[in-house]
Amino acid sequence: MLYRLADAIPTIWLVLTLVFIAMRILPGDPAIAALGDGALPEQLAEFREKMGLNVPIWQQYFNFLIGTLTLDFGKSYMNGAPVLDLIARNLPYTIQLTVAAMILGTVIGIPFGVLAAVKRGKLPDSGMRIFSLVGYAVPDFYLGALFLIGFALNLRWFPINGAGSGFFDILHHLFLPALTLALVKAAFIGRLTRTSVLEVLGKDYVRTARAKGARENRVIYRHALRNALLPLATGMGLSLLATLSGSVAVELVFNRPGIGRLLIQSITERDYGVIQGGVVVFALMVVFVNLMMDLLYVVIDPRIRVK
Amino acid sequence: MNVNRREFLELAAAATALSVVGTGAARAASSADVVRIGIAANGPRTSDPNQTTQGSDNWATEQIYEQLVRPEDGDFATTPDKYVPTLATEWSASPDAKTWTFKLRQGVQFHKGYGEMTSDDVVFSFKRAITDGTNKTIMANVADVVAKGPYEVAVQLKSPDVNFLGTTGFSNNTSIVSKKAFDKIGAEKFMTDAVGTGPYELTRFDAEWGTAMKRHEGYWGQKAKIAGVECVYIADTTARTLALLSGDVDLIEAVRAPGWVDSMLQRDPTLQFDMTIPGSFNTLHINLTRKPFDNLKVRQAIMYAIDRQAVADALKPMGGFMAGLQPDFFPAGFKTADLPPELQYKYDPKKAKALLAEAGFPNGFDFDSNCSQREDYSSTMLIVQEQLRAVGLRMNLKIGDHTAYHADNRSDKNTLAMHSSSYPPIPTQLYFQQLSSKSEVKSDGKGGGNYSHYGTAMPGIDALLDKALMATDYKTYVDTCKQIELQVLRDLPLIGLSTLSFTVARNARLDMGYKVKSGYARWRFHRATKKA
């Protein structure tokens, strides 16, 4: 585990460096973004000095790396709030959304996939294929807007924006954005489940289970699905990472706080500290998810532990 | 863990039920006792009027703070005599317009129990604006602010300012804040917990959600009719529009693009639209250092080629026409008919072509120009591009990111640079920012907003501007500004393309209590009423 963590350090450093360089290459002046295009030269100069933007690039890079090591990303150029505070306030919302979307996506996707595999070539299988195609093809921001118009604006079942407060209110606010991401996930997970289950349904141990007189549901869920989980777990890990990036658009459409929305806003405003802090968090989440997937493999398939 | 079919179905049902908790009850629209506005930005940056850099934060500061004087609600004071007593009850200027004395209203209470406003608070607020404000330009002329007893203040200026009420008196930076509160809670906390005297007091500042205010029960004037105001930040246009249509918010900041108002009315014909006239001044800088734009005939050709009325009409109902650089009801503004015929520049593509031929370009020419992707910029410049193409001026328009666009303009990288900015009825502000040689753009990015290099590439309006700024009577000031207008129309370093109203789409159940006619992009809600 520690070895894997250490292994991630060069990756994170590379990501940080690329982000640092990309932000400096990108045209646009944080001082003008913060103070407006009508700001006077003296005001802009004062701002650059205050925010440490007037020092040489190498020094800015050095300050940034030292800051990252001490988890001090500085202050937002826009509102003066510490970047770490901004991230701490927004991160729980992104985690909520990602976890809820994954749960919903799995709950929808796996049974669909199993059903499609079992009923191969029949109506459920065709349905699954169409659902997958639509899921892959429809952008999540578009799907989100459709859900908003249908369920929030016309039917008024759900709130139109925000994240809510209190357990049930939070769930109420979370459902539509989570469903938006989940349907895309479900299409992917369903397709993957179908393929994996189909593969194991032809294995000897499945035939043996049937020959022993096991009920079909037991054969499928106990013997086939369990053995189909390993490739599925890999796919779900990738899917979780895609959900994280997908949360950016969904947070904007549903006007939910979150790291994605924070990042987009910061890129528009050239708020370097917040962008860099946000990317560090995303990079750490990717590393964390990968680590968790490695651990999950061991739980799913004891043979890996033995190896 | 073994899960049988029944358990699986039970779990799935429970998860679904949990997810749709509350869906049976329709989501509550905003309460009848709260005005909720959807702001077109990601989140508030500050509630301190002295530190605001994001225009939309001023929706909150407008409710929380007051200045010594204000214009009537929903309007600009187009002349100094149109300001109404607010925290000052009367005022006077010395004959040289260098000392302005204000008598303060007695009994004005700050929010949150910070006591009565006195001259100490006024002196403190002005001095803080001079040293720490985001707009030091407007304070640069203030030499000193002196208390003359608890209810009188004298502001001494370095040079005359007949427009002091407009240039400095009514500004976010000269909002009166509580010295006692500032001393107690400190500058940093004041950014999100400021204390003013306005009809609403701040109760919540949430950088992700927005700001909330409640009625100031100790307000000196007529108390606000609606108990609370909420400024909810919804940057995404679709989300903001849906929030209005669903009744979640009562009003939203509009998208200032052609057709937006019509498309909203198609969705809900009962919607109301409040618009300030003029709103933004959309101007077009012609870079005089780039050939052949140093040739007056080429610039005149551009002026005749652009159908400014058509540009304004395309932006209807938000667009407005400017004969010069000011709308006609502003000081120094002209109606077309009042201009000399040669400066009226009525749309005439034939004349434009003839002028180009005289300048040595009978077949026109190609040139590059940058433009922001923001709707108001891109839509205007695409129209201009088409009109110029019709006379042979083939503008290769590169549309890009808004922040990058302004950075490029500030580094002198543009040829025809559109600029959109709002100005009060103080014409010298636009002249100084966009035409003065002191504001000339520099390639290192350290210059100002005079992207045309007027005043250095060719003689400009500096002497006239100085004369206007040194005027000790209002008539001389306005007359000199009119001379500037005429000279700019003769030299054409800058073209007034159109005005573009700040617009708010409002649910009909909310009545503002007054008509919004003009003013900055924010207005007060203290007279508003709302049907349930």
Side-chain angles (χ1 to χ4, degrees), chain B residues 489-508:
Chain B
L489 282 169
R490 274 191 296 271
D491 294 342
L492 294 176
L494 184 66
I495 295 172
L497 284 177
S498 72
T499 61
L500 189 59
S501 300
F502 291 114
T503 305
V504 157
R506 171 168 54 87
N507 191 305

Side-chain angles (χ1 to χ4, degrees), chain B residues 246-287:
Chain B
S246 69
D248 190 46
V249 299
D250 301 301
L251 57 170
I252 58 168
E253 288 188 305
V255 177
R256 297 195 297 165
W260 188 83
V261 168
D262 290 338
S263 71
M264 289 297 286
L265 282 171
Q266 273 180 352
R267 291 172 187 174
D268 182 353
T270 67
L271 284 177
Q272 305 293 306
F273 293 89
D274 300 313
M275 294 180 197
T276 62
I277 298 171
S280 296
F281 292 54
N282 291 349
T283 51
L284 188 69
H285 290 259
I286 302 179
N287 194 330

Side-chain angles (χ1 to χ4, degrees), chain A residues 34 37 39-41 43-44 46 78-79 89-90 156 158-161 175 252-253 255 261 265 268-270, chain B residues 19 23 26-27 42 45 53 134 136-137 207-208 233-234 236 239 246 248 401 403 406 410 419 446-447:
Chain A
D37 48 298
L40 293 176
Q43 292 173 292
L44 296 173
E46 192 182 328
M78 298 299 147
N79 58 20
R89 285 208 300 266
N90 282 278
R156 300 189 173 239
F158 294 97
I160 207 98
N161 63 59
F175 184 74
L252 278 175
V253 171
N255 197 42
R261 199 180 79 154
Q265 166 190 345
T268 313
E269 295 167 339
R270 306 293 191 272
Chain B
S19 304
T23 54
R27 180 189 36 72
N42 287 295
R45 293 179 188 169
T53 52
T134 48
K136 291 180 184 167
T137 324
E208 276 74 44
Y233 285 67
I234 312 174
D236 184 74
S246 69
D248 190 46
D401 171 74
T403 308
H406 280 300
R410 280 295 184 117
H419 186 86
K446 291 181 179 169

Side-chain angles (χ1 to χ4, degrees), chain A residues 27-30 32-44 46 48 50 75 78-80 82 86 89-90 93 103-104 107 111 145 148-149 152-153 155-162 167-168 171-172 175 217 221-222 252-255 257-258 261-262 264-265 267-270, chain B residues 2 5 8 12 16 18-23 25-27 29 42-46 51 53-54 131 133-137 188 191 207-209 232-236 238-239 242-243 245-249 377 401-404 406-408 410 419-421 432-433 439 445-448 451:
Chain A
D29 183 343
I32 294 176
L35 300 180
D37 48 298
L40 293 176
E42 307 86 67
Q43 292 173 292
L44 296 173
E46 192 182 328
R48 289 186 192 112
K50 190 174 158 191
K75 290 183 174 180
M78 298 299 147
N79 58 20
L86 287 174
R89 285 208 300 266
N90 282 278
Y93 295 106
I103 291 173
L104 274 176
V107 165
L148 268 177
I149 292 167
L153 180 65
L155 293 171
R156 300 189 173 239
W157 287 354
F158 294 97
I160 207 98
N161 63 59
F167 181 71
F168 290 110
L171 283 182
H172 196 191
F175 184 74
N217 279 345
Y221 288 103
R222 183 76 190 267
L252 278 175
V253 171
F254 287 89
N255 197 42
R261 199 180 79 154
L262 183 70
I264 292 290
Q265 166 190 345
I267 291 167
T268 313
E269 295 167 339
R270 306 293 191 272
Chain B
N2 295 327
R5 188 177 65 155
F8 177 78
T16 310
L18 199 60
S19 304
V20 296
V21 165
T23 54
R27 180 189 36 72
N42 287 295
R45 293 179 188 169
T46 178
Q51 300 297 328
T53 52
Q54 177 171 257
T131 54
T134 48
N135 193 348
K136 291 180 184 167
T137 324
E188 193 168 334
M191 292 274 287
E208 276 74 44
W209 174 79
V232 185
Y233 285 67
I234 312 174
D236 184 74
T238 309
L242 292 176
L245 296 174
S246 69
D248 190 46
V249 299
Y377 279 78
D401 171 74
H402 188 68
T403 308
H406 280 300
D408 282 351
R410 280 295 184 117
H419 186 86
S420 176
S421 211
F432 179 78
Q433 286 184 8
S439 304
K446 291 181 179 169
Y451 305 138

Side-chain angles (χ1 to χ4, degrees), chain A residues 28-110:
Chain A
D29 183 343
I32 294 176
L35 300 180
D37 48 298
L40 293 176
E42 307 86 67
Q43 292 173 292
L44 296 173
E46 192 182 328
F47 180 88
R48 289 186 192 112
E49 190 179 337
K50 190 174 158 191
M51 293 298 172
L53 291 165
N54 58 341
V55 298
I57 290 285
W58 66 264
Q59 199 174 331
Q60 288 183 42
Y61 179 65
F62 184 72
N63 293 342
F64 162 57
L65 286 185
I66 295 292
T68 305
L69 286 175
T70 55
L71 282 183
D72 176 9
F73 300 107
K75 290 183 174 180
S76 161
Y77 299 158
M78 298 299 147
N79 58 20
V83 171
L84 208 57
D85 283 4
L86 287 174
I87 291 171
R89 285 208 300 266
N90 282 278
L91 186 59
Y93 295 106
T94 300
I95 292 176
Q96 268 176 19
L97 179 61
T98 309
V99 170
M102 277 311 290
I103 291 173
L104 274 176
T106 310
V107 165
I108 299 167
I110 289 184

